[in-house]
Amino acid sequence: MTSPDSHVLVIGECVADIVRTDGAPDTVHPGGSPANVAYGLARLGRPATLLTQLGDDANGRLIRAHLESAGVVVRAAGVARTPSAVVRLDGQGRARYTFDIGWTLPPMELAEAPGAIHLGSIGAVTDPGAAAVLALVERWRGRAQISYDPNVRPALMGERAQAVRRVERCVALSDVVKASDEDLAWLYPGEDAEAVARRWLALGPAVVAVTLGADGAFAHTAEGGHARAAAVPVPVADTVGAGDSFTAAFLHARAAGADLAGCLTQAVTAAALTVSRPGANPPSTAELTAALARRG
């Protein structure tokens, strides 16, 4: 477990989310799962650096300004254009993505030791950049807490069996793993989510947490612990960034010493605040504290 004020390095993609709904003009929101986690951690007061790629274009400048407004230190390799995704929302606000993204992060060294490293999504499994990410994580494994969220994007994952191998390699490198039931359904069709979580624990993590949408979330520990948390009912604007807000709040609560049930409660509450407003807009410390007080 790390200190709540220790520095966390987040590694992965930034994406300009172009949100498209029928009868309304497109809106662009800063996004990308790892970038959202870094932003969410910073909003909760945790020092965060994002190791990523950005283009010198309007979308890149928008994303950088967004991250830095929360206090995230952005360490970005240059690319020709900032990755983007067209996000289409259905009648319930659920998001579906069409990506224009490449991931070519070069090998890098760290100037100082992080307290924790978070990786996930496209940046952890998409070559050639994934090789640099995993090499860095392997060098720091055992010296920094490693967390991982597969945040599966089927259109970018390639052949399923290969994707499963890549994801399970990341799981085995990690101390804390968060996934959604949708992630697990794509990786392991027809399998029970709790059975998958327990199998992942056997690969090495101390904790595996799984989100269940409107059904809340559960978590298992390698020591046999188990907890569940109900979702917080809210009017849904859209689901963009909800899982990333969950991840940031779960990691922050764990670093602060909360028990497993407390980590889940804070995480599902943060996710509810995010779905109640457009885009990947995680809560501040004050917002989360107030929402937890209302929840009792």
Side-chain angles (χ1 to χ4, degrees):
M1 187 175 296
T2 58
S3 165
D5 59 356
S6 65
H7 181 265
V8 58
L9 174 70
V10 181
I11 313 174
E13 70 276 2
C14 292
V15 180
D17 288 337
I18 304 167
V19 179
R20 186 163 294 167
T21 53
D22 293 338
D26 290 352
T27 57
V28 180
H29 297 284
S33 177
N36 293 340
V37 172
Y39 185 80
L41 286 166
R43 291 268 287 166
L44 294 173
R46 183 82 179 271
T49 292
L50 178 66
L51 180 56
T52 190
Q53 297 182 149
L54 282 173
D56 184 16
D57 51 26
N59 285 340
R61 291 187 288 274
L62 172 71
I63 291 171
R64 181 183 288 274
H66 168 75
L67 291 165
E68 291 178 345
S69 73
V72 177
V73 176
V74 181
R75 183 179 174 189
V79 288
R81 69 178 183 275
T82 298
S84 63
V86 174
V87 185
R88 297 184 182 275
L89 303 176
D90 66 15
Q92 286 73 50
R94 293 185 297 254
R96 294 292 180 267
Y97 297 83
T98 303
F99 291 95
D100 179 9
I101 186 170
W103 181 245
T104 58
L105 189 76
M108 292 189 179
E109 295 294 338
L110 303 183
E112 59 184 32
I117 298 174
H118 177 75
L119 68 155
S121 199
I122 298 162
V125 297
T126 302
D127 287 328
V133 174
L134 295 183
L136 188 62
V137 169
E138 286 173 339
R139 286 197 295 276
W140 286 95
R141 188 185 182 206
R143 293 183 286 166
Q145 177 180 271
I146 310 298
S147 57
Y148 171 59
D149 177 2
N151 192 48
V152 169
R153 299 302 185 212
L156 301 175
M157 298 295 285
E159 190 268 328
R160 192 190 310 270
Q162 181 183 32
V164 169
R165 288 192 294 271
R166 287 175 175 267
V167 167
E168 290 182 349
R169 181 184 178 191
C170 294
V171 170
L173 288 170
S174 301
D175 301 294
V176 178
V177 177
K178 173 264 174 184
S180 71
D181 53 352
E182 291 182 347
D183 293 336
L184 301 185
W186 187 85
L187 291 166
Y188 309 102
E191 294 196 39
D192 176 72
E194 297 216 30
V196 174
R198 287 189 289 267
R199 190 164 72 242
W200 276 6
L201 285 171
L203 298 177
V207 180
V208 174
V210 178
T211 59
L212 306 168
D215 292 325
F218 70 82
H220 289 283
T221 72
E223 296 177 344
H226 174 68
R228 300 187 74 92
V232 181
V234 293
V236 176
D238 64 51
T239 62
V240 177
D244 304 322
S245 291
F246 178 100
T247 300
F250 188 91
L251 294 175
H252 184 69
R254 181 172 166 79
D259 62 16
L260 191 62
C263 290
L264 284 176
T265 297
Q266 292 191 46
V268 297
T269 304
L273 288 168
T274 301
V275 302
S276 72
R277 51 204 190 191
N281 187 2
S284 66
T285 300
E287 289 174 323
L288 181 56
T289 299
L292 289 167
R294 290 193 300 270
R295 184 169 180 168

